[in-house]
């Protein structure tokens, strides 16, 4: 579980950094692009990956899928926040847990115990309660396209990372470097487009923010893969615990750092999220 705890901490830190980025008008597209470049540098420095076995692998579709989806879904995430707000976007992102949970049963053939099923059910209720906010914002039918893409995209990304953790012909550290390289390539093409046709300037502050973002994003994904490797027979435990942990820690930071106010349902959601993690963990330890 230590891998999951580190991944949760890094994931929430990335979210906090993005919140500050919005406040200080950082160009998200540029920061995310340099984030992948910095992550590539960290991968090469720490792991010294070898690509000699890459020619013999048959997993190009997984790498390419992640390389495209990581930056693409992030842009849709930003679009969703602009169109329907942070609260509803968070719901779409967290409910994407439903997709990898289904994959755990049908694709990865995981056995679900009664305790785990109860934990997952409570977890979904916790997501709704934790993210519930009253709003007067009007939503158009077209605006739901963005959160729908976020919902499907994050679900597929979770499944693909699980598949990366299962690849045996290439070390997962090398796989991670390949994914970062592909994501950076896609992102740099987007930056060049906006520079050439939208006259968008490249600024040093975006590069520096991208480096900080890349540090935490790198370790977030690294330890997420390590968690999947350590709990290969229980992918739903990783999927659910990651989401519940991010909700709990993110909410606590929102309360104490950003002075956000929670309603009664939000507090019930935090309590249920904690209960869900305990049940899911017990199901793994005692197989009940």
């Amino acid at each position: 579980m230590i891998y999951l705890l580190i991944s949760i901490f890094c994931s929430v830190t990335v979210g906090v950094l993005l919140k500050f980025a919005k406040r200080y008008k950082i160009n998200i597209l540029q920061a995310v692009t340099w984030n992948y470049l910095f992550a590539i540098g960290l991968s090469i420095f720490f792991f010294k990956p070898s690509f000699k076995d890459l020619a013999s692998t048959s997993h190009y579709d997984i790498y390419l899928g992640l390389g495209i989806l990581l930056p693409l879904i992030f842009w849709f995430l930003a679009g969703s926040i602009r169109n329907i707000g942070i609260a509803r976007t968070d719901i779409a992102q967290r409910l994407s847990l439903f997709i990898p949970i289904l994959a755990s049963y049908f694709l990865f053939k995981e056995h679900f115990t009664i305790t785990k099923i109860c934990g997952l059910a409570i977890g979904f209720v916790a997501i709704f309660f934790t993210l519930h906010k009253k709003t007067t914002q009007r939503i158009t039918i077209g605006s739901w396209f963005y959160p729908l893409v976020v919902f499907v995209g994050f679900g597929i990304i979770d499944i693909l990372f699980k598949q990366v953790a299962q690849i045996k012909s290439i070390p997962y550290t090398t796989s991670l470097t390949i994914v970062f390289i592909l994501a950076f390539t896609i992102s740099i093409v987007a930056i060049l487009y906006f520079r050439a046709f939208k006259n968008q300037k490249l600024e040093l502050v975006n590069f520096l923010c991208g480096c900080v973002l890349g540090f935490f994003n790198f370790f977030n994904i690294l330890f997420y893969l390590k968690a999947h490797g350590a709990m290969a027979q229980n992918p739903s435990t990783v999927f659910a615990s990651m989401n519940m942990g991010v909700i709990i820690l993110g909410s606590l930071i929102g309360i104490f750092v950003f002075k956000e106010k929670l309603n009664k349902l939000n507090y019930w959601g935090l309590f249920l999220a904690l209960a869900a993690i305990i049940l899911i963990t017990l199901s793994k330890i005692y197989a009940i």
Side-chain angles (χ1 to χ4, degrees):
M1 292 296 287
I2 186 64
Y3 294 147
L4 267 179
L5 292 175
I6 297 174
S7 182
I8 288 168
F9 170 78
C10 291
S11 178
V12 172
T13 303
V14 168
V16 171
L17 291 173
L18 290 175
K19 191 160 187 173
F20 278 120
K22 183 181 179 182
R23 177 181 298 181
Y24 294 104
K25 301 186 186 310
I26 302 298
N27 186 298
I28 298 297
L29 174 61
Q30 291 185 25
V32 168
T33 301
W34 305 131
N35 137 79
Y36 289 126
L37 179 62
F38 193 74
I40 293 170
L42 286 175
S43 299
I44 294 174
F45 178 79
F46 281 109
F47 307 128
K48 298 175 175 56
S50 172
F51 302 101
K52 61 181 180 180
D53 297 324
L54 188 58
S56 61
T57 187
S58 59
H59 302 291
Y60 293 111
D61 54 339
I62 299 175
Y63 295 141
L64 186 60
L66 278 171
I68 294 173
L69 282 176
L70 282 176
L72 186 64
I73 296 304
F74 193 93
W75 301 334
F76 272 99
L77 183 71
S80 180
I81 291 173
R82 286 196 306 270
N83 279 271
I84 68 169
I86 295 176
R88 287 188 174 93
T89 301
D90 278 344
I91 292 173
Q93 183 178 351
R94 297 306 162 200
L95 284 181
S96 66
L97 170 65
F98 184 71
I99 296 175
I101 290 298
L102 287 177
S104 297
Y105 184 80
F106 292 105
L107 184 61
F108 302 119
K109 308 301 180 183
E110 180 183 354
H111 173 65
F112 279 37
T113 64
I114 296 297
T115 306
K116 179 170 289 188
I117 292 173
C118 290
L120 293 173
I122 292 173
F124 280 113
V125 175
I127 291 173
F128 277 111
F129 281 12
T130 307
L131 299 174
H132 177 268
K133 286 183 175 66
K134 292 182 179 180
T135 179
T136 58
Q137 183 182 3
R138 296 180 62 185
I139 307 299
T140 62
I141 295 177
S143 297
W144 283 106
F145 174 72
Y146 290 96
L148 179 61
V149 174
V150 169
F151 169 77
V152 175
F154 272 103
I156 295 174
I157 285 172
D158 276 348
I159 294 172
L160 291 177
F161 270 128
K162 168 62 181 175
Q163 290 180 315
V164 166
Q166 290 183 326
I167 295 174
K168 303 301 181 184
S169 58
I170 296 178
Y172 68 87
T173 51
T174 301
S175 296
L176 188 59
T177 308
I178 295 169
V179 170
F180 285 143
I181 290 173
L182 290 171
F184 173 71
T185 302
I186 299 295
S187 298
I188 199 68
V189 168
I191 276 190
L192 293 175
Y193 169 81
F194 280 101
R195 180 69 184 92
F197 298 101
K198 304 293 182 179
N199 200 29
Q200 191 177 88
K201 295 181 180 179
L202 298 178
E203 298 177 320
L204 179 61
V205 64
N206 297 321
F207 174 78
L208 296 176
C209 289
C211 290
V212 177
L213 191 65
F215 177 85
F216 289 100
N217 197 29
F218 169 78
F219 287 106
N220 168 34
I221 297 176
L222 172 64
F223 283 101
Y224 186 61
L225 285 175
K226 281 180 173 288
H228 270 301
M231 293 183 275
Q233 304 304 316
N234 294 275
S236 66
T237 299
V238 180
F239 294 137
S241 298
M242 182 70 185
N243 277 267
M244 296 301 106
V246 167
I247 286 174
I248 292 174
L249 182 57
S251 297
L252 291 176
I253 289 177
I255 294 170
F256 294 108
V257 177
F258 296 105
K259 307 303 179 183
E260 296 178 355
K261 294 183 178 180
L262 302 186
N263 56 44
K264 289 183 179 180
L265 278 182
N266 297 154
Y267 283 111
W268 271 108
L270 291 177
F271 173 77
L272 290 176
L274 181 60
I277 290 178
I278 292 173
L279 285 175
I280 293 169
T281 303
L282 288 175
S283 72
K284 177 182 180 296
I285 295 174
Y286 298 107
I288 55 176

